[in-house]
Amino acid sequence: MSTLVNFTVPAGARRLTVGDDVLDLLPGRAAWWPSQRTLFVADVHIGKAASFRALGQPVPSGTTQDNLARLTALVEQCEAHRLVVLGDFLHAAAAQQAQVVDQVQAWRDRLPALDCVLVRGNHDSHAGDPPAALRFQVVDEPSPMGPFLACHHPGARPGGLVLAGHLHPAVALRGPAHDRHRLPCFCLTRDQLILPAFGAFTGTTLQGLPDGARCFPIAADQVLGPIAA
């Protein structure tokens, strides 16, 4: 057995074996590649609420700070060296306003040694690349990373296990009292892993998940499953 699998599984996580390597599905809506000290997140949508408010929509404030605080907590807990955002880091061009960018800059200044990579998603094409001061390496999909292909849009591709976002996947679970809970989830097939949306103001969908997928719902501080999509 490869020594690469000899990493402690984080609390509440579920471990996948990918070739001779491992990937941990974290309850913080991220995937952790311990051998490379790399965190993957998808669909952060920084500035989404600010973009809505710029259009006159009365939506809550504070989501950018919440997203950045959760990112910081994951980086520090895992002692990550690299953060890979699988598309849609910024929500729209309106997210480039100072009140949003200044918060992201303060976050980046707190983690100066962190290597940050953005795989361009559909929202990134409209929002524009992050300002140069944020020091993101920006790449197009698919971006090979070891046994993985870092992408934004789901879909099997030759060359590795696709890690993607875009769908904001969720499952609905029913309890004994006929109560129904909608939970964000990881969605796994033989060829791809679709991550849940990381952003706090993103929404989820039960539709369009790949046929035959196994889903890993996130409940409180634990990744559950797998269950059928």
Side-chain angles (χ1 to χ4, degrees):
M1 180 178 294
S2 169
T3 57
L4 291 176
V5 300
N6 295 327
F7 295 97
T8 301
V9 181
R14 297 299 300 269
R15 171 156 290 178
L16 305 178
T17 300
V18 183
D20 290 331
D21 218 325
V22 295
L23 187 72
D24 294 324
L25 311 183
L26 305 181
R29 303 189 187 191
W32 171 235
W33 186 13
S35 70
Q36 299 301 312
R37 315 301 302 176
T38 296
L39 274 169
F40 295 96
V41 299
D43 301 289
V44 185
H45 287 277
I46 292 291
K48 182 174 182 179
S51 300
F52 274 60
R53 287 194 297 274
L55 297 173
Q57 300 295 322
V59 298
S61 60
T63 55
T64 293
Q65 281 292 351
D66 176 78
N67 290 335
L68 296 174
R70 290 188 295 116
L71 275 177
T72 299
L74 282 169
V75 169
E76 292 180 345
Q77 289 165 11
C78 294
E79 298 182 356
H81 294 170
R82 178 169 59 167
L83 171 69
V84 179
V85 180
L86 301 172
D88 293 0
F89 180 65
L90 298 176
H91 178 71
Q96 297 271 13
Q97 59 186 284
Q99 70 182 63
V100 175
V101 173
D102 288 350
Q103 294 179 70
V104 184
Q105 186 66 63
W107 165 81
R108 193 69 180 94
D109 292 343
R110 178 175 175 176
L111 301 168
L114 183 67
D115 182 16
C116 292
V117 180
L118 169 63
V119 182
R120 287 189 182 96
N122 55 301
H123 278 266
D124 301 300
S125 65
H126 300 293
D129 291 345
L134 297 181
R135 293 181 291 111
F136 270 76
Q137 177 189 1
V138 183
V139 299
D140 292 321
E141 62 178 352
S143 181
M145 298 182 184
F148 308 112
L149 292 175
C151 301
H152 176 65
H153 296 92
R157 299 167 174 85
L161 179 71
V162 167
L163 303 181
H166 188 60
L167 291 185
H168 305 192
V171 294
L173 302 181
R174 289 174 173 82
H178 303 289
D179 48 333
R180 187 171 181 267
H181 298 279
R182 184 169 176 146
L183 301 174
C185 70
F186 297 89
C187 189
L188 177 68
T189 69
R190 182 174 63 87
D191 301 309
Q192 62 181 321
L193 173 71
I194 304 170
L195 274 65
F198 186 85
F201 185 52
T202 54
T204 59
T205 183
L206 306 174
Q207 307 301 319
L209 305 187
D211 292 337
R214 294 181 294 154
C215 293
F216 296 81
I218 301 168
D221 295 324
Q222 188 172 5
V223 178
L224 308 175
I227 63 173

